[in-house]
Amino acid sequence: MENKIEGDQPADTGGIQLQTRRAWLADAVELLSSMRFAISLLSLIAIASVIGTVLVQNEPMPNYVNKFGPFWFEIYSKLGLYAVYSAWWFLLIMTFLVISTSLCVIRNAPKMIKDMRSWRDNVREQSLRNFHHRSEWQSSNGRGKVTEQILAHLARVGYRFKLVEKQGATLIAAKQGAANKWGYIFAHSAIVIICVGGLLDSELPIRFQKWFMGKVAYEGAGLISQIPEQHRLSLANPTFRGNAMIPEGASSSTAILPQADGVLIQDLPFTIKLKKFTIDFYSTGMPKLFASDVEVTDHETGKSFASTIKVNEPLIYKGISIYQSSFDDGGSRLRVKSYPMQGADNGTTELSGIVKESTPLPLREDDGSTIEWVEFKLYNVENMARNGSDVRAVNPNQTLNEKFTADLDKHLGSAAKNANNKDFKNVGPSLQYKLRDKTGQAREFHNYMQPVEINGDYMILAGTRDSPGDAFRYLRIPADDEDSIKDWMRLRAAVQNPEMRAQAVTRFAENALKRNQSSGAKKSDLWATSAKISLEAFAGDDKLSGLNAISKLLEKVPQAEQEKVAQGFIKVLNGTMWELWMVAREKEGLPTFELDEKHARFLQLAIGALSDATFYGAPVYLQLTGFDEVKASVLQVTRSPGKNVVYLGSLFLVIGVFSMFYIRERRLWVWIKDNDLGAHALMALSSQRKTLDFEKEFEQLKLHLQQLSTQAGPESQAAQAEQAAQAASADAPRNAE
């Protein structure tokens, strides 16, 4: 049996739930539009900007793998740190900042506008007495006269005012600088406008097309015209920033948009043809000016026009800006001679290549190794002191005794001298290429065409690096009498030839006996043995050779005798290498040299370079012998509708900051009422910022209003004069009596 109280009604739970939802929504809006939330977002944006500044953005992914390693590369990749400003979380922060600032403006702007229009004339006399900046004074003039005088002065100093009659008194409500609040509105609106402009020019529209319209990045290679539609962006794409590399005489109607996982192709409403690319240089060889003479053909009308695009002087057509970004090689044709860097063979091979293409590696056609022609530069301005670092100095496996190394530097002229000096020179044309084996592993090389003078010696620079993120290390090969690499290559091959080494050892022993005016088989065998040991050690094997091998031999010598033995090895090695060089020249039917300072210096540098060549890491050396240069212009093609929006936001920001800092709002109230002595005035002044200028303004305003309101008007002055005259005439008979 149920007990039921009469008159009870079920609870209205729906209303409570509605109130709860409204309270939750109000709290959410309060949080989003709060100052603490906006400051938190700005702090995150500042941190992201620091990351984007410190970490180089939009580099090839292999560079990041080499720099951070596979583990951290994956973590940073997931966080989008390689393209911070287009990362999803950065765009999300920007979106929330727009929402937060917009809500703040929506909530507060009406209140501010209402306050600017308000005169705040609902004050009372007692409330004015509570102001810190207030003043009271008595005037013999009537209330109307005092009011008139005060209003006249306020008008002169730029105050706007309103008169209100209340409680038998006159209230003057005045204000100045109310436009100060427009500063807050403009400044906050500027943040919204700039962020919206930034989002319009970001990758957000492209991301939307990838998410919802099936667009995907293209990872392959081939002709642009044959790339499928899902990899291309239409002419209706609202915003993009891409590049177009156009060789001289060629044309392009597309732009390439780099993506993390490939590229997107942006179709353009016109075709750009590069008629001529012009580049001027300073005397040092540094680029001074480069410009592109182009012809633009509109696809819709078929009309063409010519234009010149320079740095900071873009071509703007149909809302698309074309900037001169840089320049590149457009497929220069190269003529190269290949020298073997391993074994006793000294034969050369002539080959040719085209920049950006590949060629089978000479002597290794059977194993699938290729040469990738990366870049050709006609002019190179290099810091020779920096780029000429000795490869031995950066080899992690080197274990040369420091004292022995210093001794070798003194005798052989090490390339490591003056490595910290700055010495900029134009060193002429250069060739950059990669040697890629059948497993896909590549090593990069950078060779100069002409000998370069370094510390008085002419050297041929051959650079190498293991990965694109590393700096090139340069092998310094001395130039021979013909300013070529032939003699050094001839000596390199002879070092690896056992028969020629044996001939050199025999000659050295015979000449040593003659120089020392000694004889005997025992003495001859001693010189031959020393020469053979030093030369065989220098030739070495796949694991150890060059000066490192000789250093290993010295480790077996007692430390007290190492310096003396090292000097002996140097003399024997120099003498044996000289004989080996002469044997190599005789074998090719070339004349030999008399030992002089010039050729002795060449030999010393050659020995150092042969030792360094152990770390060069290439089966061949490619020397550039000729070229047919083809220039290409790299143009940046952008459509940025947000640019004008950002300009508008910047204008708003300037107005807002100016208004906030240079316009001060002041509110003035004067309460005037009659009394037996005339009129009593009570003044109060208020401002948002209490500054020294405000204190000074208050004192001046108080003084001026008191002086003006206590002055007698013309009528009062006449009445006072008449009263004084009557008093004087009444006193005259008395004075006469």
Side-chain angles (χ1 to χ4, degrees):
M1 183 176 181
E2 295 183 3
N3 294 325
K4 190 173 183 180
I5 300 176
E6 187 176 353
D8 284 354
Q9 297 295 331
D12 187 6
T13 57
I16 296 176
Q17 292 176 355
L18 180 60
Q19 292 178 0
T20 303
R21 287 196 296 269
R22 288 178 177 176
W24 178 87
L25 180 61
D27 291 341
V29 172
E30 177 69 27
L31 174 63
L32 288 175
S33 60
S34 65
M35 180 68 73
R36 63 182 184 276
F37 187 74
I39 291 176
S40 300
L41 293 177
L42 288 172
S43 300
L44 292 175
I45 291 175
I47 294 172
S49 300
V50 170
I51 295 173
T53 302
V54 174
L55 181 60
V56 181
Q57 301 287 289
N58 300 310
E59 279 198 336
M61 290 301 160
N63 291 11
Y64 296 117
V65 176
N66 296 328
K67 188 173 183 179
F68 302 116
F71 177 76
W72 289 108
F73 168 78
E74 289 294 336
I75 293 179
Y76 293 161
S77 179
K78 295 295 183 183
L79 294 175
L81 299 186
Y82 306 134
V84 169
Y85 304 113
S86 60
W88 65 268
W89 53 266
F90 185 83
L91 297 177
L92 185 63
I93 292 173
M94 292 283 287
T95 303
F96 271 107
L97 181 62
V98 170
I99 295 173
S100 174
T101 312
S102 299
L103 288 175
C104 181
V105 173
I106 292 171
R107 289 183 62 197
N108 296 312
K111 299 176 184 177
M112 291 182 177
I113 295 174
K114 183 179 179 181
D115 185 67
M116 283 189 291
R117 294 176 176 176
S118 170
W119 292 96
R120 300 183 188 177
D121 54 0
N122 56 346
V123 297
R124 299 175 180 273
E125 181 181 5
Q126 186 58 40
S127 63
L128 295 180
R129 296 184 187 277
N130 295 328
F131 277 70
H132 177 72
H133 294 83
R134 69 181 186 279
S135 179
E136 297 184 60
W137 65 90
Q138 180 67 40
S139 175
S140 59
N141 297 324
R143 177 159 51 112
K145 191 63 180 179
V146 171
T147 301
E148 180 182 347
Q149 292 170 330
I150 291 176
L151 292 179
H153 180 71
L154 292 180
R156 282 195 299 271
V157 296
Y159 275 87
R160 298 170 58 206
F161 50 81
K162 176 183 179 183
L163 285 179
V164 179
E165 298 291 335
K166 56 191 309 185
Q167 300 177 4
T170 300
L171 173 65
I172 301 175
K175 59 184 177 181
Q176 189 179 68
N180 167 271
K181 288 185 172 58
W182 281 112
Y184 294 92
I185 297 174
F186 273 99
H188 285 72
S189 300
I191 295 176
V192 176
I193 293 171
I194 291 173
C195 289
V196 169
L199 290 173
L200 287 176
D201 285 350
S202 70
E203 285 196 356
L204 194 58
I206 295 178
R207 287 177 180 267
F208 273 113
Q209 295 181 64
K210 294 173 72 174
W211 292 336
F212 304 112
M213 300 177 64
K215 301 297 183 181
V216 293
Y218 183 69
E219 301 182 41
L223 296 176
I224 293 179
S225 59
Q226 298 177 357
I227 294 179
E229 188 65 27
Q230 65 267 26
H231 307 300
R232 310 178 75 96
L233 301 176
S234 70
L235 298 177
N237 184 24
T239 177
F240 59 84
R241 177 175 281 103
N243 295 317
M245 190 189 79
I246 310 175
E248 285 183 327
S251 60
S252 175
S253 60
T254 58
I256 308 299
L257 278 58
Q259 303 290 301
D261 52 350
V263 298
L264 289 171
I265 309 300
Q266 174 64 58
D267 291 320
L268 303 176
F270 48 78
T271 297
I272 309 171
K273 181 179 180 180
L274 179 63
K275 297 190 294 184
K276 183 182 180 182
F277 180 76
T278 304
I279 180 168
D280 292 332
F281 296 89
Y282 292 105
S283 58
T284 60
M286 292 292 291
K288 178 174 63 175
L289 168 70
F290 42 95
S292 299
D293 295 330
V294 300
E295 182 180 77
V296 179
T297 303
D298 192 303
H299 293 170
E300 185 177 357
T301 63
K303 296 182 179 179
S304 300
F305 64 91
S307 180
T308 299
I309 305 172
K310 300 179 181 179
V311 177
N312 298 326
E313 297 182 17
L315 167 64
I316 302 176
Y317 183 63
K318 287 197 166 183
I320 298 176
S321 301
I322 307 170
Y323 297 89
Q324 180 66 64
S325 176
S326 61
F327 56 92
D328 202 346
D329 193 283
S332 297
R333 294 168 178 80
L334 310 173
R335 294 180 292 280
V336 178
K337 182 177 288 187
S338 171
Y339 291 87
M341 291 288 286
Q342 298 172 355
D345 182 20
N346 191 35
T348 60
T349 304
E350 301 285 344
L351 64 151
S352 60
I354 299 176
V355 176
K356 311 296 184 184
E357 297 185 6
S358 60
T359 304
L361 180 63
L363 309 178
R364 292 198 170 190
E365 295 88 346
D366 56 337
D367 68 356
S369 299
T370 58
I371 307 170
E372 297 178 4
W373 309 101
V374 176
E375 186 178 44
F376 166 76
K377 285 185 178 180
L378 182 61
Y379 296 93
N380 288 273
V381 176
E382 303 287 358
N383 180 1
M384 301 314 302
R386 171 178 60 82
N387 289 335
S389 57
D390 187 353
V391 292
R392 291 174 300 174
V394 295
N395 177 38
N397 300 320
Q398 184 180 353
T399 58
L400 283 175
N401 178 273
E402 293 181 2
K403 187 174 182 62
F404 184 51
T405 303
D407 195 43
L408 288 174
D409 289 347
K410 181 174 67 176
H411 286 83
L412 302 180
S414 171
K417 294 179 180 177
N418 301 322
N420 294 324
N421 296 334
K422 291 185 177 180
D423 184 16
F424 292 99
K425 292 181 180 178
N426 179 13
V427 295
S430 69
L431 168 64
Q432 190 171 329
Y433 60 93
K434 290 181 181 180
L435 298 183
R436 189 177 300 276
D437 60 24
K438 60 182 179 181
T439 64
Q441 298 297 317
R443 189 179 180 91
E444 198 164 5
F445 300 88
H446 186 205
N447 298 341
Y448 291 91
M449 182 179 184
Q450 301 170 350
V452 179
E453 184 180 3
I454 302 175
N455 299 327
D457 300 308
Y458 282 91
M459 317 291 285
I460 298 172
L461 300 180
T464 178
R465 64 182 178 185
D466 298 326
S467 64
D470 299 335
F472 280 106
R473 299 173 297 159
Y474 286 89
L475 174 65
R476 297 181 174 186
I477 303 173
D480 55 25
D481 292 350
E482 300 177 1
D483 287 334
S484 73
I485 201 173
K486 295 177 182 178
D487 260 331
W488 187 84
M489 286 294 180
R490 192 174 290 120
L491 182 58
R492 184 214 62 78
V495 169
Q496 300 298 321
N497 190 317
E499 295 179 0
M500 298 177 73
R501 289 201 303 265
Q503 294 180 43
V505 167
T506 301
R507 287 191 182 187
F508 173 76
E510 293 174 353
N511 292 332
L513 289 173
K514 294 178 182 179
R515 286 193 300 268
N516 291 277
Q517 297 181 354
S518 59
S519 62
K522 186 175 181 180
K523 196 72 173 177
S524 176
D525 290 343
L526 180 61
W527 285 112
T529 301
S530 299
K532 182 177 181 181
I533 291 174
S534 63
L535 194 54
E536 293 291 340
F538 190 84
D541 52 30
D542 293 339
K543 296 182 179 179
L544 189 64
S545 63
L547 298 176
N548 273 335
I550 295 179
S551 177
K552 284 292 184 182
L553 291 178
L554 290 176
E555 292 178 0
K556 302 176 182 179
V557 179
Q559 189 172 1
E561 301 179 12
Q562 280 188 1
E563 182 175 359
K564 181 179 179 180
V565 175
Q567 292 177 356
F569 263 106
I570 292 172
K571 292 179 181 179
V572 172
L573 180 63
N574 282 342
T576 310
M577 290 291 287
W578 175 270
E579 299 298 341
L580 183 62
W581 183 19
M582 296 303 105
V583 169
R585 289 185 63 87
E586 289 176 358
K587 184 179 178 180
E588 296 186 17
L590 300 173
T592 58
F593 303 123
E594 293 294 332
L595 183 59
D596 54 21
E597 183 179 354
K598 176 183 177 182
H599 293 98
R601 178 62 176 168
F602 172 85
L603 182 63
Q604 291 172 350
L605 296 173
I607 292 173
L610 287 171
S611 182
D612 293 346
T614 306
F615 311 113
Y616 187 60
V620 295
Y621 168 81
L622 303 182
Q623 184 181 36
L624 183 64
T625 58
F627 55 86
D628 296 316
E629 185 187 20
V630 178
K631 299 175 183 177
S633 177
V634 179
L635 304 175
Q636 185 183 76
V637 186
T638 65
R639 174 182 281 162
S640 52
K643 178 177 65 175
N644 294 330
V645 177
V646 172
Y647 289 159
L648 177 63
S650 301
L651 176 62
F652 275 29
L653 186 61
V654 171
I655 295 173
V657 171
F658 180 86
S659 301
M660 287 190 294
F661 283 96
Y662 296 100
I663 299 178
R664 295 179 295 112
E665 181 183 16
R666 281 92 73 204
R667 296 278 184 166
L668 174 69
W669 297 269
V670 184
W671 187 281
I672 308 170
K673 63 181 181 180
D674 296 315
N675 59 16
D676 296 339
L677 300 177
H680 176 269
L682 170 62
M683 181 193 79
L685 185 66
S686 174
S687 177
Q688 290 180 330
R689 296 195 299 271
K690 305 299 190 296
T691 62
L692 293 176
D693 289 339
F694 175 74
E695 297 289 343
K696 182 179 179 181
E697 181 181 358
F698 172 72
E699 294 298 331
Q700 291 178 347
L701 191 60
K702 177 178 70 173
L703 179 62
H704 290 160
L705 291 182
Q706 288 180 3
Q707 290 177 347
L708 288 172
S709 59
T710 55
Q711 281 182 354
E715 296 178 358
S716 299
Q717 293 177 357
Q720 291 175 1
E722 184 179 354
Q723 292 176 0
Q726 292 176 356
S729 59
D731 291 339
R734 276 183 219 156
N735 294 333
E737 292 176 356

